[in-house]
Structures are given as structure tokens and as C-alpha cells.
Amino acid sequence: MTLGLYLDFDLESCGKIPLKAKLHIQPRELVALLGPSGSGKTTLLRSLAGLYTEVTGHIQSGNIDWLNSTQKIQIKPEQRSLGMVFQNYALFPHLTALQNVMLPLFKLSKRDANQKALDWLARVHLSGLELRKPHELSGGQRQRVALARALVAEPRLLLLDEPFSAVDQATRHKLRRELALLRHQIEAPTLLVTHDLEEALQLADRICVLHHGQILQVATPDELMSHPRSPTVARLLGMHNLFKGIVKDVSKTQITLDWCGKTLLITTQKTYKVGQTIEWMATPQSLILHRPDRPSNGDKENPIEGRIEELVMLGPHVSISVRPTHAPELPLRFFIPRHFVERQDLRMGMSIFVSLLGEQLHIFD
Amino acid sequence: MEFQALEISFKLAILTSLLLLPIGIALGRFIAWSHRPWVPVLQTLIFLPLVLPPTVLGYYFLVAFSGQAPFGSLWETLFNKSLNFSFEGLLIASIIANLPFSVQPIQHAFSSIDRDLRDAARTCGLNAWQAFFKIELPLIWPGLAGAFVLTFAHTLGEFGVVLMVGGNLSGETRTLSIAIYDQVQAFNLEAAGQMALVLLALAFVSLLLLQGLGQFRQRRKI
């Protein structure tokens, strides 16, 4: 049974909203669809549900065709056996929590449906609130009812459309934890739409970065954060410090890069041609700020001299911006702990050294 | 008090309101949720009776119902009876003249059902009919009740269209409002006054009901 629950799709929009996406999701796998608003996340989700029909291609849930344009197969949403949690939960306002959860079980006998719905309400910690109407529940409780309703009929696919966006921060963290616990009991593949990177990193097995309706990268959270495929992906993930450079020299384990007149050594196994322009990124792990009283060391650590242009206190962290002396138009931005700023008495305008660790610098393909 | 006229008025109002419910649901739901480019045209047509003088409306009914017109002659061959100056003709005219009063509140009720809610019904496995009976109908019923009360009250008070299409045939098309007019013409002000009071009371109660429905709808909104 488990083996049959994979989801495979290859879709292209034939309507006004651009969409081109292809993915295979394993049973029990949770894939986050990450992208800014307007990137087509919700359209993709609605296409998979069959609610948005201006798409061609194929969608397969196990051995069942939900959509197959060449064979002119298009299964209606109500026949796809879906579970879906909507952004504002879309609970039926005239039904109680219990009735909401019982609704997908209308094919079962009333007694069985009742028992199953009660079980699921207990699993999402809502025992005792069965007879409340949606407007008598808090945001978090409503989300739990919606989740129970989506899961009660053992769907072949679980779709979550920004399920945590309508609640406060504290509730959001609690609900995320609950989903992380619950998801191991879910046989079906799950697609989670979110614009929150932290949420995707916490919950997803794989993250699928969407932009203008196109999948830019699908990778595990670690892989994505350490090796974003393109500068666009890196920017969508909120990463800074993306630059261009010209390859000056290549050896087996590293290349020498000319970054606006400054020579950098970057460790890499890949081959590059001398004279080639590459795009590279100083990842957060690659940046080290030196103590003002103990400036630079070896060349391998790529010391960069610069001036502190900005120090912004953000709670326990400080966002710092350093303008390199050799290229003041290309500031390096990163976070450092607040206590470091206070202990070293860092001030704006101060001259300082930053190291770019050659092993941690990322070169885009 | 002319009880026969009161009875005809009531019969006309109740039948009009009842028959308009399914029509109002079909049209209201379609207008609320369809994105077809010609929907505004349909909506304008439905709303025409709201601004047309009842005499103009009545004139077109007379023309359409006559034995020379396709609809009128079809009716005559089917039922062997003329539509003009008959209760059936009055009923059809009344239904069309009351379309805006029925469609408007029902359309509003459907518009207030969120798209996500409709989608949720389908992802819960309900087909279109199941979604209609289990989800849509329970959500729009204040709108339905509003449409019923509004058309009922409006039909009771209808004068121009009734006079044009139905004339003043006692026991067939003489409604209360026609009877009032008739009595005033005959300087029988006391009889007219009694009947006017009945219509006033009915109109007041109907509007009060509508207010109550509006408040109910507001309370239930999440």
C-alpha cells in the first residue's frame, strides 16, 4: 500500500498564470514549496488538487492517473482522495468541529464516521471541543480541525497551503512541532506551501524553490542552504554577498580568483577555465570578522580590509556591513553576535579585517 | 373588506415567492460565481423590472401573452386558454417582475461563500450536488428567506403590472391593491382604508423580518 502512494507530476500551464513544474514525491515524504508570493505555489497546489484546470501534462498518484493530457484523462477533485488544509482553514461555519471532520467520511456509516472523527480530533488534541462551531475556536484550534478533516479519510496526497500563516508566532511554533510529530503517521506524500524559509527548513525532507511558476531547485534543506544552484535561488533564500570574479589560475584543489583586483583562493574540485567569469557567494559560514587588535593572517583565509559601514542591533545579533577598501561598491553583509560588538567596541567607520574562508566559499554552476 | 381580493393577493404572492426560489437560486448562484463575459448583460436584464415603469412592463407582457405572439399562442394551444386577464398570466408576469427582488439577496448570499469553502467541499469528496445540499444551502438560507419575504411583500403591493396584465376580474385577477384603487374611485374610503391598513401591516411585518434576518447573518459570520 505504502509503495503505491507516491506522487509524480509534470505540469505546464495553458492559462494566464505561468507554471512549469515536474517532481516525484515519495510516500511519507514532505516537500515544501517555497517561493515569494506570486511565484505560483498555490496555483501548483490547486492544479494538483484539480481545482485549477488550465494545466496540461500528467499527475499520477501511485498507479492512478489524475491528469493525463495525452489520454484526455482529468479526474475531478472530489474523486482524487485528497486532504487539503487551506490558508484560512475553510472550515464550514455552520458545522461543529466534529461535523467538519466527519464530512469527508459520508460514505461510511454514521457510527463509524463518528468514531473515526472523534479519534482524529483526539489525535490533534481537541477532545472536549467536538461540539464547538468554528467561530467558537481559536486560530490554532481551527487549524487542528482543518488538519484532522484533511487526514481523516486517509488521503492519497496531503496538501497544506500556508497552514501556519494565520496564527500568532507562539501558536505557529507549537503547531509546527505537532505537525513534525504527526507527519510520521501519514502514509501519503505531503506538499507544504510556504513563503517562510525557517518553516521549510524545519519541516521538509526536501525543499522545492519556485519562482515565476518554475521550479528552480529541489534539494534537502542542508544541500539547499550550502549549495543554492543559482544566484536567483540564493537571493530568494535571502542570502547576501553574491559577487562575480575572473578565474586567474587553476589547480587540482583550488582556483585563484580575481575579485575586482583582489586575489582570492577558493577550494573546489570542479574544473574552470582561466579567464572565465564566475559567480560566487560568501556563505555565512565563510565570513570571519577579525578582532581589531589582531588583524589578518595567511593568504588562504583571503583577508579583506574594509570599513564598517553599518551596525544594526537586531536582538542578540548585529547586522554588520563592511565596505572593502579595494571595492567599496560591493559591501559584505553578515551577522555577528552582539557581545562581540560590545566587547571589541566596534563602531561605524572603523577599519577592520574580514576573512573569507576558501573552503566555505560557494561557486555557482 | 374584500376577502376574495385578499385571497387572490395572498395566493399570487405565495406562489410567486415559492416559484421564484429555485429560479432565484439558479440565477443568483450563476451570477455570483460565473466569470463569463456576458454575465453583466444577464444581470442587467434581470434588474430591468426594478427601474421600468410597471405600465411599460405590463405592456410588454400584454403583447407577449397575446394569441398573436409566439409565447401566447403556444400557451393557448397547450392549455386552451388565453394568458391575458387570467390568474396564470398574472402569475407569470409577477414572477418576471419580481426577479430582481429574488435574485439580488440570493446572489449576495452566494457571493459571501468563500471560494476556499467551495474548494474545501470538493477536496472533502463532495460532488456538486452534495456540496449544494450539505454546504451551500445551509449557508445561503438567510438569503433565501430574505428573497422570499421581499418577493412576497412586493407582490402583495404590485399594482401597475397587475392592472395591465390582469385587469380587474373579480375572483380571477382582482387583487387587494386593485380593489383599494377601485373603492377609492367609488368614493368608498372606509373600505379602501381597511384594506390599505392590511397591506401596511403586512409590509411592516415583512420588513421587520428582513431586518431580523440581516442581524442573524451578521452574527453567524466568522
Side-chain angles (χ1 to χ4, degrees):
Chain A
M1 183 64 190
T2 314
L3 283 173
L5 278 180
Y6 68 84
L7 179 81
D8 191 87
F9 65 85
D10 185 354
L11 293 173
E12 193 161 347
S13 165
C14 55
K16 276 173 267 171
I17 308 171
L19 185 68
K20 191 169 162 51
K22 180 178 175 348
L23 197 63
H24 182 96
I25 310 176
Q26 294 295 331
R28 289 176 178 270
E29 192 184 16
L30 193 154
V31 173
L33 290 175
L34 183 71
S37 41
S39 59
K41 305 179 301 263
T42 298
T43 305
L44 177 54
L45 211 65
R46 287 172 52 82
S47 307
L48 294 172
L51 297 166
Y52 181 77
T53 51
E54 289 179 9
V55 283
T56 57
H58 82 261
I59 306 169
Q60 241 183 318
S61 168
N63 50 5
I64 300 175
D65 271 329
W66 281 354
L67 176 74
N68 189 326
S69 299
T70 43
Q71 290 180 37
K72 296 208 162 29
I73 296 173
Q74 176 145 14
I75 305 284
K76 287 181 180 161
E78 59 265 32
Q79 286 158 358
R80 292 191 183 191
S81 176
L82 294 162
M84 187 157 174
V85 175
F86 294 81
Q87 205 167 358
N88 290 308
Y89 317 131
L91 297 179
F92 303 117
H94 60 298
L95 301 178
T96 62
L98 181 65
Q99 288 169 328
N100 262 285
V101 180
M102 275 173 75
L103 197 75
L105 302 173
F106 61 91
K107 282 178 188 145
L108 297 186
S109 74
K110 194 134 197 181
R111 227 183 94 199
D112 290 351
N114 194 56
Q115 193 52 51
K116 229 172 158 183
L118 285 173
D119 285 350
W120 265 101
L121 283 171
R123 275 164 96 166
V124 295
H125 315 294
L126 285 179
S127 298
L129 301 179
E130 293 89 353
L131 299 182
R132 296 249 183 116
K133 291 271 181 77
H135 70 269
E136 297 164 325
L137 296 169
S138 71
Q141 290 165 342
R142 279 182 218 168
Q143 198 260 17
R144 292 190 183 106
V145 176
L147 193 61
R149 184 179 71 181
L151 288 167
V152 71
E154 289 160 29
R156 300 181 65 87
L157 171 66
L158 179 62
L159 301 170
L160 308 171
D161 189 1
E162 309 220 5
F164 308 108
S165 61
V167 289
D168 59 87
Q169 175 97 356
T171 311
R172 191 177 308 155
H173 284 289
K174 204 162 132 195
L175 291 172
R176 265 189 215 163
R177 225 191 91 246
E178 285 176 19
L179 180 66
L181 285 169
L182 193 66
R183 53 161 296 211
H184 298 291
Q185 305 168 31
I186 304 170
E187 298 281 326
T190 301
L191 265 166
L192 166 76
V193 160
T194 180
H195 60 255
D196 186 336
L197 176 62
E198 187 191 288
E199 189 170 300
L201 292 174
Q202 286 177 356
L203 291 171
D205 297 311
R206 281 189 297 161
I207 296 174
C208 172
V209 182
L210 219 67
H211 190 49
H212 294 316
Q214 301 232 359
I215 293 183
L216 298 184
Q217 186 171 8
V218 186
T220 62
D222 288 344
E223 171 75 12
L224 183 69
M225 294 313 281
S226 55
H227 295 100
R229 181 176 290 161
S230 65
T232 311
V233 173
R235 282 192 196 98
L236 286 174
L237 297 174
M239 296 173 172
H240 310 289
N241 310 321
L242 284 80
F243 307 104
K244 281 182 182 162
I246 298 165
V247 180
K248 281 283 163 212
D249 192 20
V250 288
S251 77
K252 262 200 171 148
T253 54
Q254 67 178 20
I255 58 171
T256 311
L257 196 70
D258 174 17
W259 176 38
C260 301
K262 189 90 191 168
T263 303
L264 297 179
L265 294 173
I266 304 181
T267 313
T268 177
Q269 307 293 332
K270 291 190 186 146
T271 48
Y272 295 92
K273 276 180 260 164
V274 174
Q276 183 185 353
T277 301
I278 58 166
E279 290 194 80
W280 63 280
M281 176 173 74
T283 60
Q285 308 91 290
S286 71
L287 286 152
I288 290 180
L289 189 70
H290 291 269
R291 282 168 55 173
D293 54 330
R294 259 200 267 157
S296 174
N297 18 29
D299 276 353
K300 208 165 175 204
E301 291 193 356
N302 298 319
I304 306 286
E305 195 189 356
R307 233 169 242 293
I308 299 178
E309 192 207 24
E310 204 178 81
L311 281 170
V312 185
M313 307 288 168
L314 296 166
H317 308 287
V318 175
S319 166
I320 182 170
S321 176
V322 176
R323 282 196 188 276
T325 314
H326 74 283
E329 71 281 8
L330 300 171
L332 288 159
R333 280 169 59 195
F334 50 104
F335 286 95
I336 48 174
R338 186 173 184 146
H339 64 80
F340 185 85
V341 176
E342 283 161 1
R343 197 168 298 172
Q344 301 301 328
D345 195 22
L346 298 185
R347 275 162 287 113
M348 296 223 275
M350 204 179 211
S351 184
I352 199 125
F353 272 91
V354 178
S355 267
L356 301 176
L357 297 182
E359 285 172 4
Q360 303 286 345
L361 296 178
H362 174 59
I363 303 173
F364 293 106
D365 297 331
Chain B
M1 174 65 68
E2 294 189 31
F3 285 102
Q4 199 177 41
L6 183 68
E7 189 192 324
I8 287 177
S9 275
F10 259 112
K11 201 168 112 189
L12 183 68
I14 284 177
L15 282 175
T16 303
S17 311
L18 277 180
L19 290 173
L20 263 175
L21 282 184
I23 301 171
I25 289 174
L27 287 171
R29 186 175 188 268
F30 181 79
I31 293 173
W33 290 351
S34 173
H35 298 290
R36 277 169 234 260
W38 45 268
V39 166
V41 179
L42 176 69
Q43 198 167 9
T44 308
L45 278 175
I46 289 172
F47 274 56
L48 262 184
L50 211 55
V51 287
L52 274 182
T55 43
V56 174
L57 208 58
Y59 168 78
Y60 283 117
F61 285 135
L62 266 185
V63 173
F65 291 173
S66 83
Q68 277 88 51
F71 180 73
S73 68
L74 178 73
W75 185 276
E76 276 177 30
T77 38
L78 282 178
F79 300 102
N80 208 12
K81 191 180 174 190
S82 170
L83 262 182
N84 279 329
F85 310 111
S86 74
F87 182 77
E88 290 80 8
L90 200 58
L91 184 59
I92 293 175
S94 175
I95 285 174
I96 296 173
N98 274 294
L99 268 178
F101 298 96
S102 174
V103 172
Q104 171 90 351
I106 298 178
Q107 180 193 334
H108 268 287
F110 274 111
S111 309
S112 67
I113 300 181
D114 206 37
R115 185 186 72 172
D116 278 354
L117 223 49
R118 284 144 61 194
D119 289 346
R122 302 195 70 192
T123 59
C124 281
L126 304 183
N127 65 31
W129 283 107
Q130 288 167 325
F132 176 73
F133 284 110
K134 285 181 200 254
I135 307 299
E136 294 166 25
L137 212 50
L139 289 177
I140 62 153
W141 84 257
L144 284 186
F148 187 92
V149 173
L150 213 55
T151 42
F152 183 83
H154 187 249
T155 311
L156 271 188
E158 183 60 64
F159 177 76
V161 174
V162 177
L163 194 64
M164 291 288 281
V165 180
N168 184 7
L169 300 178
S170 187
E172 178 80 16
T173 60
R174 184 181 165 95
T175 62
L176 211 54
S177 51
I178 304 279
I180 294 172
Y181 178 74
D182 225 25
Q183 296 290 3
V184 172
Q185 294 288 301
F187 296 106
N188 196 350
L189 289 184
E190 198 186 334
Q194 282 177 355
M195 293 188 278
L197 196 65
V198 171
L199 281 186
L200 178 69
L202 279 171
F204 182 80
V205 172
S206 305
L207 289 179
L208 199 64
L209 266 174
L210 271 179
Q211 299 284 345
L213 278 171
Q215 280 177 3
F216 176 84
R217 229 177 323 193
Q218 283 206 324
R219 252 185 294 134
R220 213 172 53 168
K221 261 248 147 18
I222 329 178

